[in-house]
């Protein structure tokens, strides 16, 4: 049988363990990084509601409509994303532009969406001419990255931009600094990547087409949609 001294010591140890667990739960709640305050609303908004089905001279490519999946369902193919939207648009001249959008609720240092120059290279593409640029959309400057991805039979110029929360990120350095800044303040930002591309062996002409496409899309958006997609 336990004497009184042993019993008291075990009781104190048990009490301290329970107190430690309670304090751990409290401090975890108070100090662990949390999503940005408005991230929940963004996470619950389907990407389909942000991007018009038709605008200007652009319509969904009829041949691709049957292949389109809801963004929440499409994201199941990509473990790091919460939503993925993929569409192909066609204009009156038969020109096609592909729109791909990825949303991730948590863009922590250890978990973030892949830039196209990374994921295309992993998919076997040769990556060339990665360069910073800007689109002028309705009088606003949108910083973008352009690159030329190619494999046999598929030359694909790409224009893309990224947001942390509702803030446009001009380049990878700004992305990392903002990510670290938010993390230090106890927030985990969400992120959106918008990619516009086309099959074309003339990158200069393709980038011009991408700008026309983005301008028409921006014109058709509501102010709330522009804030979400373009960071205005």
């Amino acid at each position: 049988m336990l004497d009184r001294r042993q019993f008291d010591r075990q009781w104190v140890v048990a009490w301290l363990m329970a107190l430690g667990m309670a304090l751990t739960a409290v401090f975890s709640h108070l100090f662990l990084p949390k999503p940005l305050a408005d991230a929940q609303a963004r996470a619950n908004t389907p990407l389909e509601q942000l991007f018009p089905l038709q605008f200007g001279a652009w319509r969904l490519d009829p041949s691709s409509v049957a292949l389109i999946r809801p963004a929440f369902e499409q994201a199941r193919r990509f473990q790091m994303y919460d939503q993925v939207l993929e569409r192909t648009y066609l204009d009156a001249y038969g020109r096609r532009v592909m729109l791909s959008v990825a949303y991730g609720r948590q863009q922590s240092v250890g978990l973030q969406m892949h830039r196209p120059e990374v994921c295309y290279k992993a998919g076997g593409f040769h990556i060339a001419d990665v360069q910073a640029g800007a689109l002028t959309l309705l009088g606003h400057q949108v910083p973008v990255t352009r690159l030329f991805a190619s494999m046999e039979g598929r030359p694909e110029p790409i224009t893309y931009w990224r947001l942390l929360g509702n803030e446009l990120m001009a380049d990878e350095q700004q992305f990392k600094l903002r990510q670290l800044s938010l993390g230090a303040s106890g927030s985990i930002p969400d992120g959106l990547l918008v990619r516009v591309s086309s099959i074309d062996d003339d990158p200069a002409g393709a980038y011009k087409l991408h700008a026309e496409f983005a301008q028409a899309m921006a014109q058709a958006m509501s102010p709330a949609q522009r804030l979400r997609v373009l960071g205005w």
Side-chain angles (χ1 to χ4, degrees), residues 103 125 133 181:
Y103 172 77
F125 282 78
S181 173

Side-chain angles (χ1 to χ4, degrees), residues 30-223:
L30 291 176
F31 297 111
L32 281 181
K34 300 176 179 62
L36 293 176
D38 52 353
Q40 188 61 47
R42 290 193 291 268
N44 291 335
T45 302
L47 292 179
E48 290 91 342
Q49 294 183 9
L50 300 177
F51 296 86
L53 291 173
Q54 59 183 51
F55 45 87
W58 297 94
R59 304 289 185 274
L60 280 182
D61 182 354
S63 64
S64 70
V65 171
L67 303 177
I68 295 176
R69 300 179 182 179
F72 283 105
E73 179 182 335
Q74 183 79 345
R76 294 173 189 166
R77 297 170 48 202
F78 308 92
Q79 295 182 353
M80 68 185 65
Y81 305 135
D82 295 287
Q83 294 190 61
V84 175
L85 178 68
E86 294 180 330
R87 290 176 178 170
T88 300
Y89 290 85
L90 183 70
D91 74 358
Y93 301 99
R95 300 179 299 179
R96 285 181 170 82
V97 167
M98 294 172 287
L99 173 70
S100 180
V101 186
Y103 172 77
R105 186 179 303 192
Q106 294 190 4
Q107 296 300 293
S108 62
V109 174
L111 179 66
Q112 65 183 47
M113 60 187 64
H114 289 165
R115 291 170 291 146
E117 55 264 46
V118 175
C119 59
Y120 269 72
K121 185 174 182 179
F125 282 78
H126 173 70
I127 305 299
D129 302 327
V130 180
Q131 55 186 290
L135 297 176
T136 302
L137 305 179
L138 305 182
H140 293 263
Q141 290 290 304
V142 176
V144 300
T145 300
R146 297 187 177 102
L147 61 124
F148 185 65
S150 62
M151 63 165 46
E152 186 175 356
R154 188 182 176 93
E156 187 172 347
I158 297 167
T159 300
Y160 76 88
W161 62 91
R162 292 189 294 171
L163 297 94
L164 276 180
N166 281 330
E167 297 180 68
L168 278 167
M169 297 291 109
D171 52 36
E172 185 66 5
Q173 182 179 13
Q174 183 187 7
F175 187 97
K176 292 291 187 185
L177 288 174
R178 184 59 177 151
Q179 193 178 52
L180 290 171
S181 173
L182 288 168
S185 67
S187 297
I188 300 177
D190 56 334
L192 187 75
L193 188 149
V194 182
R195 186 184 81 217
V196 177
S197 65
S198 51
I199 307 302
D200 197 330
D201 57 9
D202 174 20
Y207 297 144
K208 183 178 178 181
L209 178 64
H210 299 170
E212 294 175 6
F213 175 88
Q215 173 77 358
M217 183 173 67
Q219 288 177 330
M221 287 178 167
S222 68

